[in-house]
Amino acid sequence: MTLSRRSFLSASAAIAGASAIAPALPPVAHAAAPKVGTQTPGFYRFTVGDIEVTAILDGYLNLAPAAVIGFDQKIAEKTLEQDFRSPDTKNMPVPVNGYLINTGEKLVVVDTGTVDVMGPTLSHFHKNLRLAGYDAADVDAVVLTHLHVDHVGGLTSKSGEKLFPNAEFIVHEAEYTFWNDEGIRSRFSKDLMHFVDIAQNTSKPYENNKTLISKEGEFIKGLDAVFLPGHTPGHMGIRVHSNNEEVLIWGDIVHSTALQLANPDWTVVFDTDQEMARQTRHRLLDRVAADRTAVVGIHLDFPGLGHIRRAGNAFAFHQTGWQYQL
């Protein structure tokens, strides 16, 4: 039977009439279902040509206004409200993401999350990696955008053993040299001294299987190193490319999706060279916006995949929609 608009309206009217003359039934009591209280596992897959990428959520931390150089309370509140976020600047959650790249030939992890000393909302990288269907022992290489604690914490166990036992350790040569220079300690405040210790302690177990990158370009088939200094001396991005598709994993170009894209001159206290970090951010944002290059960020809203659009003198992030088919 073909359902026309007239027959649909007639059927609707008949149903409404029947319900009007039907005897009223007492409401059925249902026991309240308990709230789950937890989020779904933190992983999400997408493809870049023939390469499959899985975003792995380590957790989140709260970005304190004091950590943002250039922070202005009124501007921050307005920026957050315009982005449909809570204007509460005392509670600004920032994700910590990592990525597993399946090139078809190799399994490559990019950044490994935190250590458990950073609090209960973090250090879930390895749990979510397993839930995503991967075993850390099968990973061929671990690439570090830089050696800050929230990127290298998942390299080793509490006892100092490698958590990626068969993986090659890959980082920019300038980054490795910086953190392993004993004279560098004097440049850090006492509160940040543990950054040096963690960078050294998590790198050391991989000493016999490390590769130091000294130039831009392909270092694994489908993966190019892109030098992005400023946040740290050897901070780099990874360009993932296959079949004329590409995504740039840009590391820590931005720490706050809402605040720093709308206010790209704002830096963070963790930037080793504030001015270089600012210049690198502006240059890269201009480039990916003009070229319409998809980007992935370690601190962009999970899963961190989207595009950058210029908005006057600032920028905006457009999260990529759910990829239904891989």
Side-chain angles (χ1 to χ4, degrees):
M1 180 184 74
T2 301
L3 185 63
S4 66
R5 180 174 180 272
R6 176 174 294 180
S7 60
F8 173 78
L9 292 175
S10 298
S12 299
I15 293 171
S19 63
I21 61 174
L25 297 175
V28 178
H30 294 282
K35 294 180 179 179
V36 176
T38 57
Q39 190 51 275
T40 56
F43 67 88
Y44 172 76
R45 295 189 224 283
F46 60 93
T47 55
V48 183
D50 290 332
I51 294 176
E52 184 177 89
V53 181
T54 303
I56 307 290
L57 181 65
D58 184 70
Y60 71 94
L61 50 82
N62 279 314
L63 182 66
V68 182
I69 309 300
F71 182 86
D72 181 286
Q73 184 67 36
K74 290 184 178 179
I75 292 176
E77 290 178 357
K78 182 178 179 181
T79 298
L80 291 168
E81 287 184 318
Q82 287 179 337
D83 206 32
F84 301 97
R85 300 171 188 260
S86 168
D88 179 11
T89 58
K90 293 181 180 179
N91 183 28
M92 296 188 291
V94 172
V96 176
N97 308 323
Y99 299 89
L100 185 139
I101 302 170
N102 187 342
T103 70
E105 298 177 2
K106 289 182 179 290
L107 290 182
V108 181
V109 162
V110 176
D111 291 349
T112 68
T114 62
V115 292
D116 55 11
V117 297
M118 294 191 71
T121 64
L122 292 159
S123 300
H124 304 305
F125 181 89
H126 281 275
K127 177 187 72 176
N128 285 327
L129 182 70
R130 290 190 296 271
L131 289 171
Y134 294 104
D135 189 325
D138 294 331
V139 172
D140 298 294
V142 177
V143 183
L144 290 312
T145 60
H146 60 297
L147 299 183
H148 272 167
V149 56
D150 53 330
H151 301 257
V152 302
L155 284 172
T156 60
S157 66
K158 289 182 180 180
S159 59
E161 296 175 345
K162 292 193 293 185
L163 291 178
F164 298 95
N166 302 306
E168 178 184 8
F169 174 95
I170 303 175
V171 69
H172 197 283
E173 184 177 34
E175 187 72 5
Y176 187 83
T177 300
F178 175 79
W179 291 104
N180 286 277
D181 179 356
E182 286 305 315
I184 208 68
R185 289 177 177 274
S186 62
R187 296 176 54 180
F188 282 80
S189 67
K190 187 176 180 179
D191 293 339
L192 298 178
M193 195 71 72
H194 68 287
F195 273 48
V196 181
D197 295 331
I198 291 174
Q200 292 182 358
N201 293 339
T202 56
S203 301
K204 190 173 182 179
Y206 295 85
E207 183 68 25
N208 294 328
N209 190 18
K210 73 175 186 292
T211 296
L212 303 182
I213 292 175
S214 59
K215 60 182 181 180
E216 295 189 314
E218 191 168 76
F219 61 96
I220 290 175
K221 185 179 179 181
L223 306 182
D224 293 357
V226 181
F227 192 38
L228 302 171
H231 179 54
T232 60
H235 180 257
M236 71 174 183
I238 294 91
R239 175 177 170 262
V240 184
H241 56 93
S242 171
N243 289 347
N244 296 318
E245 295 183 15
E246 65 174 343
V247 167
L248 176 63
I249 302 177
W250 71 13
D252 281 11
I253 289 295
V254 163
H255 286 77
S256 169
T257 306
L259 293 184
Q260 285 185 288
L261 290 173
N263 306 283
D265 285 332
W266 291 8
T267 58
V268 294
V269 295
F270 308 108
D271 290 331
T272 305
D273 186 325
Q274 303 285 330
E275 181 57 24
M276 185 178 290
R278 187 190 70 79
Q279 291 178 10
T280 297
R281 177 164 48 257
H282 272 279
R283 183 173 65 252
L284 187 62
L285 289 173
D286 278 331
R287 192 178 93 194
V288 297
D291 294 346
R292 301 175 67 86
T293 303
V295 299
V296 166
I298 306 304
H299 300 297
L300 287 174
D301 296 335
F302 184 79
L305 172 66
H307 287 82
I308 301 297
R309 175 179 60 82
R310 176 168 279 284
N313 293 324
F315 299 88
F317 179 61
H318 289 267
Q319 189 102 19
T320 298
W322 183 276
Q323 187 168 337
Y324 294 95
Q325 292 182 322
L326 297 178

